[in-house]
Amino acid sequence: MARAKPEPEGGPTVEYHEPELAELGHACLEVVRGVPFGKPLLLSAGSLLVGRDETAEIRLDVSGVSRKHARLTVEAGTQVRLTDLGSRNGTFVNAQRIESVPLREGDELRFGPAVLRLRFIGRDAPPPPAPAPSRPPELSVREFEVACLVAEGLTNAEVGKRLFISPATVGRHLSNVYERLGIHSRAALTRYISDPSSRDR
């Protein structure tokens, strides 16, 4: 866990715990600007809160960052997703405001004035993810997020955990997706999301 506080006179005050960086291909964040600590932050697997809150695993105690600003979801140290938690100033990836996106090597993440870059330690960094599918106009942003995760093979419970909503809410979104797209199965939805050309057939 890293804690970044406003710089007092004489230099920054930093509380920093750095685990052993022994695992090749492990995700970490390096500071670009906006916070006083400078060492890379190793990301452990799981759900990591980013913000000014005392409970945040990645605490950015600087003006312009919300208490519960965003959440990083890390799977096995190599798959990373960033989700905004309704922050006041927004969460940005490569200068684009986002709600929830998968991340790739070299992406720059901005939370208020704090800018961090995603890196993978060692030679075993995962390949960049495939380009994100475009959202059909029939679907809301949240419905499209649910559709994409279902197309990845996740269950309703897993989608709910990823998006921090209940499985029942996932089910309601999925029913809306099926109705609006004229689709009746997860297999058909997977084809629809993964192959945009199938949408015109």
Coordinates of all heavy atoms in Angstrom, one line a residue, residues 2 26 41 49 55-57 59 62 74 78 85 100 106 114 140 147 149 158 160 164 175 179 186-187 192 199:
A2 N 0.5 2.2 -0.8 CA 1.2 3.5 -0.8 C 0.3 4.6 -0.3 O -0.8 4.6 -0.6 CB 1.7 3.8 -2.2
H26 N 4.4 -9.0 -13.5 CA 3.4 -8.6 -12.5 C 3.1 -7.1 -12.8 O 4.0 -6.3 -13.1 CB 4.0 -8.7 -11.1 CG 2.9 -8.8 -10.0 ND1 2.6 -10.0 -9.4 CD2 2.1 -7.9 -9.6 CE1 1.6 -9.8 -8.6 NE2 1.3 -8.5 -8.6
L41 N 4.4 1.0 -7.7 CA 3.5 0.4 -6.8 C 3.1 -1.0 -7.3 O 2.4 -1.0 -8.4 CB 2.2 1.2 -6.6 CG 2.4 2.7 -6.3 CD1 1.1 3.4 -6.2 CD2 3.2 2.9 -5.0
L49 N -9.0 -0.2 -4.2 CA -9.6 1.1 -4.2 C -8.6 2.2 -4.3 O -7.5 2.1 -3.7 CB -10.4 1.3 -2.8 CG -11.0 2.7 -2.6 CD1 -12.1 2.9 -3.7 CD2 -11.5 2.8 -1.2
T55 N -9.1 3.9 3.8 CA -9.1 2.5 3.5 C -8.6 2.2 2.2 O -8.5 1.0 1.8 CB -10.6 1.9 3.7 OG1 -11.4 2.6 2.7 CG2 -11.1 2.3 5.1
A56 N -8.3 3.2 1.3 CA -7.9 2.9 0.0 C -6.5 2.1 -0.1 O -5.6 2.5 0.6 CB -7.7 4.2 -0.8
E57 N -6.5 1.1 -0.9 CA -5.2 0.3 -1.1 C -4.2 1.2 -1.8 O -3.0 1.1 -1.6 CB -5.5 -1.0 -1.9 CG -6.2 -2.1 -1.1 CD -7.7 -1.9 -1.0 OE1 -8.2 -1.0 -1.7 OE2 -8.3 -2.6 -0.2
R59 N -3.7 4.9 -2.0 CA -4.2 6.2 -1.4 C -3.5 7.4 -2.0 O -2.2 7.5 -1.9 CB -4.0 6.2 0.1 CG -4.7 7.4 0.7 CD -4.7 7.3 2.2 NE -5.4 8.5 2.8 CZ -5.0 9.2 3.8 NH1 -3.8 8.9 4.3 NH2 -5.7 10.2 4.2
V62 N -4.3 13.8 -2.4 CA -4.0 15.1 -3.0 C -5.3 15.7 -3.4 O -6.3 15.0 -3.7 CB -3.0 14.9 -4.2 CG1 -1.7 14.5 -3.8 CG2 -3.6 13.9 -5.2
V74 N -7.6 -6.5 -10.4 CA -6.4 -7.2 -10.9 C -6.6 -8.7 -10.8 O -6.9 -9.2 -9.7 CB -5.1 -6.8 -10.2 CG1 -3.9 -7.4 -10.8 CG2 -4.9 -5.3 -10.1
T78 N -1.9 -9.9 -14.0 CA -1.6 -9.6 -15.4 C -2.8 -8.9 -16.1 O -2.6 -8.2 -17.1 CB -1.2 -10.8 -16.2 OG1 -2.2 -11.8 -16.2 CG2 0.1 -11.3 -15.7
L85 N -15.6 5.3 -9.9 CA -16.7 5.1 -8.9 C -17.5 6.4 -8.7 O -17.9 6.7 -7.6 CB -16.0 4.7 -7.6 CG -15.2 3.4 -7.6 CD1 -14.6 3.1 -6.2 CD2 -16.1 2.3 -8.0
S100 N -15.5 2.3 -17.3 CA -14.8 1.0 -17.0 C -14.2 0.4 -18.2 O -14.8 0.2 -19.2 CB -15.9 0.0 -16.4 OG -15.3 -1.2 -16.1
G106 N 1.6 0.4 -20.6 CA 1.9 1.8 -21.0 C 0.7 2.8 -20.9 O 0.9 4.0 -21.1
A114 N -3.1 13.5 -10.2 CA -2.2 12.4 -10.2 C -2.3 11.6 -11.5 O -3.3 11.1 -11.9 CB -2.6 11.5 -9.0
S140 N -27.5 1.1 -23.4 CA -26.9 2.1 -22.6 C -25.4 1.7 -22.3 O -25.0 0.6 -22.6 CB -27.7 2.2 -21.3 OG -27.5 1.0 -20.5
A147 N -23.0 -6.7 -21.3 CA -23.0 -7.5 -22.5 C -21.6 -8.0 -22.8 O -21.3 -9.1 -23.1 CB -23.6 -6.8 -23.7
L149 N -19.0 -8.3 -20.8 CA -18.5 -9.2 -19.8 C -19.1 -10.6 -19.9 O -18.5 -11.6 -19.7 CB -18.7 -8.6 -18.4 CG -17.8 -7.4 -18.0 CD1 -18.2 -6.8 -16.7 CD2 -16.4 -7.7 -18.1
E158 N -20.2 -13.2 -11.4 CA -18.9 -12.7 -11.7 C -19.0 -11.3 -12.3 O -18.2 -10.4 -12.0 CB -18.2 -13.6 -12.7 CG -17.8 -14.9 -12.0 CD -17.3 -16.0 -13.0 OE1 -17.7 -15.9 -14.2 OE2 -16.5 -16.9 -12.6
G160 N -21.4 -9.2 -11.8 CA -21.8 -8.3 -10.7 C -20.6 -7.9 -9.8 O -20.4 -6.7 -9.4
F164 N -19.5 -4.2 -9.5 CA -19.9 -3.8 -8.1 C -21.4 -3.6 -8.1 O -21.9 -2.6 -7.6 CB -19.2 -2.5 -7.7 CG -17.7 -2.7 -7.8 CD1 -17.0 -2.1 -8.9 CD2 -17.0 -3.5 -6.9 CE1 -15.6 -2.3 -9.0 CE2 -15.6 -3.6 -7.0 CZ -14.9 -3.1 -8.1
S175 N -31.5 -9.0 -19.5 CA -32.8 -9.2 -20.2 C -33.0 -8.0 -21.1 O -33.6 -8.2 -22.2 CB -33.9 -9.2 -19.1 OG -33.7 -10.4 -18.3
E179 N -33.6 -8.2 -25.2 CA -34.8 -7.7 -25.8 C -34.5 -6.6 -26.9 O -35.0 -6.7 -28.0 CB -35.7 -7.1 -24.8 CG -37.0 -6.4 -25.3 CD -37.9 -5.9 -24.2 OE1 -37.5 -6.1 -23.0 OE2 -38.9 -5.2 -24.6
R186 N -26.7 -16.5 -24.5 CA -25.3 -16.0 -24.3 C -24.4 -16.3 -25.5 O -23.6 -15.4 -25.8 CB -24.7 -16.6 -23.0 CG -25.4 -16.1 -21.8 CD -24.8 -16.8 -20.5 NE -25.5 -16.3 -19.3 CZ -24.9 -15.4 -18.5 NH1 -23.7 -15.1 -18.6 NH2 -25.6 -15.0 -17.4
A187 N -24.6 -17.4 -26.2 CA -23.8 -17.7 -27.3 C -24.0 -16.7 -28.4 O -23.1 -16.2 -29.1 CB -24.1 -19.1 -27.8
Y192 N -22.4 -11.7 -31.3 CA -22.8 -10.3 -31.7 C -21.7 -9.3 -31.2 O -21.3 -8.4 -32.0 CB -24.1 -9.9 -31.0 CG -24.7 -8.6 -31.3 CD1 -25.6 -8.4 -32.3 CD2 -24.3 -7.4 -30.6 CE1 -26.1 -7.2 -32.7 CE2 -24.8 -6.2 -30.9 CZ -25.7 -6.1 -32.0 OH -26.2 -4.8 -32.3
R199 N -23.8 -8.1 -37.0 CA -24.9 -7.2 -36.6 C -25.8 -6.8 -37.7 O -26.9 -6.5 -37.6 CB -24.4 -6.0 -35.9 CG -23.5 -6.3 -34.7 CD -23.0 -5.0 -34.0 NE -22.0 -5.3 -33.0 CZ -21.4 -4.4 -32.2 NH1 -21.6 -3.1 -32.5 NH2 -20.6 -4.8 -31.3

